[in-house]
Amino acid sequence: MSIQSFTIDIPQAALDDVQDRLARTRWTNELPGVGGDYGVSLEYVKKLVKYWQNGYDWRAWEAKLNAYPQFTTTIDGQTIHFLHIRSPESNATPLILTHGWPMSVVEYLDVIGPLTDPRSHGGDPADAFHLVIPSLPGFGFSGPTTEKGWNRYRTARAWAELMHRLGYDHYGAHGNDVGSFVSPEVGRIDPEHVIGVHVTQIFSFPSGDPAEMEGLSKEDMGKVQYLQWFMENMGAYNKLQSTQPQTLAHALADSPVGQLAWSAQLFGDAVSSDYILTNVMIYWLTNTAASSVRFYYENAHAQNVPTEPTTIPLGLANFADDNQAIRLFAERDHKNIVSWHVYDRGSHFATQTAPDLLINDLRTFFEQLREQ
């Protein structure tokens, strides 16, 4: 039950090792003129590595992270690292934020201020949140997992225990990417204490029943077709991490450029170089390449999976270039969808590309629940 204060303090030798490895990179070959057709291009990776060597400042990001209270605790045998930022508003709503892959707690740094202290950011103090931002088990400063089974369901149980240890009787949950898998399960596991779940994706897919497809609109059929295209053309990471994570991990754990390229396949140009490199550095410095990608394997091989729909109030904020959510399928898996907003800007990385929209959607969703 104990909770310890935590400060990030990476030894200089580890940073020097990164620079040494970058300087000795053996670059891959590439066909001329193919751009990104075969995957992340050599030109793109070289550009990021050049900045990594000559412009990127880990110590500045380390200080930015350390500006917020951080802690560790052990839950179900696993170290859990988390940021815990209490609002100056005493009646703030507790909220646990779950990041995705290949992200980290860095995903939420830019929204901490407006969410915890709306009074100082032009908002209504009634919309304030106490924030808990954990590193997923096996990710970053939570350290590698050491046993099987750390899937979304076990993580959700750990999150419920974490909020209990922090003394929160009632709380909300939000997630993006992997967090959008975990957060609804927190509501399912802890319905007596979770007041609502807010996500940026609802991963409800066709069941295979032809009759189900007959009820789709033309727009939703387009989403199904896009989803199929994505899995066939961009889904290599999901397939490999769900089936052979350890094979991949040998390459990622031995090469910072390998970790960079593997992460960059999803980041692309949607976010800043600093954001990409800070997330990559956290995986590299904590040697959690293997355990983070194992999360996909554990989800794909989970047993005793609940099949009944969730019933906790659920809200969706879906952003541009990420809008594959189909309400017909979502309502099959979640029986209490109370908010469904689709935005024409932003991206999969909404905290970076449309933080204002995300913040407002979170505030509106939980305000709606408080008024009920």
Side-chain angles (χ1 to χ4, degrees):
M1 295 292 289
S2 65
I3 296 174
Q4 300 84 35
S5 296
F6 179 83
T7 301
I8 302 169
D9 185 15
I10 301 300
Q12 185 59 42
L15 303 183
D16 294 341
D17 177 66
V18 172
Q19 290 298 319
D20 180 63
R21 289 171 183 264
L22 294 177
R24 293 185 294 108
T25 300
R26 185 175 74 161
W27 300 106
T28 185
N29 60 73
E30 184 176 75
L31 293 173
V34 299
D37 291 349
Y38 287 69
V40 179
S41 72
L42 181 60
E43 178 185 11
Y44 178 76
V45 173
K46 281 189 171 181
K47 176 184 175 183
L48 283 172
V49 170
K50 183 178 180 180
Y51 177 65
W52 201 349
Q53 291 176 297
N54 301 310
Y56 176 76
D57 184 354
W58 164 258
R59 291 301 187 198
W61 282 92
E62 187 178 73
K64 189 173 182 179
L65 282 159
N66 284 334
Y68 299 104
Q70 297 176 72
F71 306 88
T72 60
T73 191
T74 301
I75 300 176
D76 195 9
Q78 172 66 35
T79 297
I80 300 296
H81 161 263
F82 62 98
L83 281 65
H84 186 198
I85 306 97
R86 288 188 59 84
S87 170
E89 308 296 337
S90 59
N91 61 344
T93 301
L95 180 65
I96 185 167
L97 306 174
T98 307
H99 67 82
W101 180 91
M103 290 84 85
S104 66
V105 293
V106 172
E107 180 169 5
Y108 292 110
L109 289 184
D110 291 344
V111 300
I112 290 174
L115 289 178
T116 58
D117 191 9
R119 188 191 301 268
S120 297
H121 292 80
D124 185 344
D127 291 329
F129 297 94
H130 300 306
L131 295 183
V132 178
I133 312 174
S135 296
L136 285 162
F139 288 65
F141 299 105
S142 284
T145 46
T146 58
E147 57 185 18
K148 295 179 180 180
W150 276 104
N151 52 44
R152 73 180 88 164
Y153 311 103
R154 189 173 179 180
T155 299
R157 291 193 294 271
W159 278 193
E161 171 61 20
L162 176 60
M163 297 303 278
H164 170 71
R165 287 189 189 182
L166 294 174
Y168 293 128
D169 291 331
H170 295 89
Y171 63 94
H174 164 79
N176 176 52
D177 190 80
V178 169
S180 287
F181 281 111
V182 171
S183 297
E185 299 306 324
V186 178
R188 189 201 302 274
I189 286 166
D190 197 17
E192 296 176 354
H193 302 103
V194 176
I195 60 175
V197 173
H198 185 275
V199 293
T200 46
Q201 302 89 20
I202 295 179
F203 295 109
S204 295
F205 304 127
S207 64
D209 181 359
E212 188 178 56
M213 302 296 288
E214 294 176 1
L216 293 182
S217 66
K218 182 178 180 180
E219 179 184 2
D220 284 343
M221 277 300 299
K223 292 180 179 180
V224 171
Q225 292 167 356
Y226 174 80
L227 177 64
Q228 182 177 1
W229 175 90
F230 182 89
M231 295 308 296
E232 291 176 353
N233 295 275
M234 298 292 291
Y237 73 94
N238 181 72
K239 181 65 174 178
L240 186 52
Q241 293 177 181
S242 297
T243 57
Q244 291 279 312
Q246 198 64 29
T247 303
L248 166 67
H250 296 298
L252 302 186
D254 190 55
S255 169
V257 174
Q259 179 71 70
L260 170 62
W262 192 249
S263 298
Q265 66 179 299
L266 293 183
F267 284 133
D269 294 320
V271 295
S272 70
S273 297
D274 271 84
Y275 182 74
I276 295 172
L277 292 174
T278 301
N279 281 292
V280 168
M281 281 286 276
I282 287 175
Y283 284 64
W284 176 264
L285 294 169
T286 58
N287 196 16
T288 52
S291 52
S292 62
V293 298
R294 278 200 299 267
F295 197 94
Y296 283 70
Y297 183 94
E298 301 294 356
N299 273 326
H301 295 81
Q303 298 180 350
N304 301 317
V305 173
T307 57
E308 69 277 7
T310 69
T311 58
I312 295 298
L314 180 69
L316 172 71
N318 211 202
F319 295 90
D321 302 323
D322 197 32
N323 56 346
Q324 293 90 51
I326 298 173
R327 186 141 193 174
L328 180 67
F329 302 152
E331 290 178 343
R332 176 197 64 205
D333 298 333
H334 306 282
K335 292 302 185 185
N336 196 5
I337 298 174
V338 299
S339 177
W340 183 285
H341 295 143
V342 177
Y343 295 101
D344 59 3
R345 61 183 175 90
S347 71
H348 189 73
F349 310 102
T351 61
Q352 309 303 301
T353 56
D356 57 326
L357 295 180
L358 177 63
I359 290 165
N360 184 68
D361 207 280
L362 277 164
R363 290 172 174 172
T364 302
F365 173 70
F366 284 101
E367 179 183 14
Q368 174 185 348
L369 297 181
R370 288 195 301 269
E371 292 176 350
Q372 293 179 353

